[in-house]
Amino acid sequence: SSFGSSQVLCWLEIFATPVSRATIARIVFVMRSLILGTLLAALARGEALPTVLVTGATGQTGTATYKALKQTGEFDVRAFVRNATKAKAALGCIKCDESEGIFVGDLNDRPSVTNAMKGVEKLVIATAAVAKCTG
């Protein structure tokens, strides 16, 4: 199946303090609940695991969410990051490229977002809100 706007999971939070394990557990629980039906249907048809893209995957919330989802083994998890070097430190990837599910780009760059979204069924947005003031 392809990604649809009704399937977007939006986690846009600004944390002044570290993210708690309980917060990450809730995110993973919600992801599991929303994807369970997709997963069971895919397995019944012999298809691949559902693909989830985590934006902001090198940030505090994004890293924890990415690792928690990968650890379940229930998803094909991708990371959308701006910096491969930071991804290497935060996510433990070796090549930190598309072969490992690490997509380098920027949310303001439509082609990089389009590339990362190919085949994605679910989206976790863990990017920080940044005010951009002009004038």
Side-chain angles (χ1 to χ4, degrees):
S1 69
S2 62
F3 179 80
S5 60
S6 65
Q7 297 173 309
V8 173
L9 301 177
C10 185
W11 299 98
L12 182 59
E13 300 180 54
I14 301 173
F15 290 96
T17 58
V19 178
S20 70
R21 290 186 186 270
T23 299
I24 299 306
R26 283 192 295 273
I27 292 170
V28 172
F29 174 79
V30 170
M31 289 297 296
R32 280 184 165 169
S33 298
L34 292 171
I35 294 179
L36 182 59
T38 303
L39 175 64
L40 293 175
L43 292 175
R45 292 189 305 267
E47 295 177 358
L49 296 174
T51 302
V52 178
L53 177 66
V54 179
T55 67
T58 58
Q60 186 175 355
T61 303
T63 296
T65 302
Y66 173 86
K67 288 180 177 181
L69 290 171
K70 291 253 332 159
Q71 187 176 24
T72 68
E74 298 172 13
F75 314 103
D76 173 22
V77 184
R78 294 181 184 174
F80 190 70
V81 302
R82 288 184 291 167
N83 184 303
T85 303
K86 190 173 178 184
K88 185 173 242 179
L91 306 176
C93 50
I94 296 169
K95 293 180 184 177
C96 299
D97 63 14
E98 293 177 24
S99 71
E100 292 182 296
I102 309 297
F103 290 77
V104 179
D106 190 284
L107 289 175
N108 292 314
D109 178 45
R110 185 176 294 220
S112 67
V113 173
T114 300
N115 185 46
M117 291 296 298
K118 288 179 185 169
V120 168
E121 296 176 58
K122 306 292 180 188
L123 174 65
V124 177
I125 301 173
T127 54
V130 177
K132 186 174 183 180
C133 303
T134 58

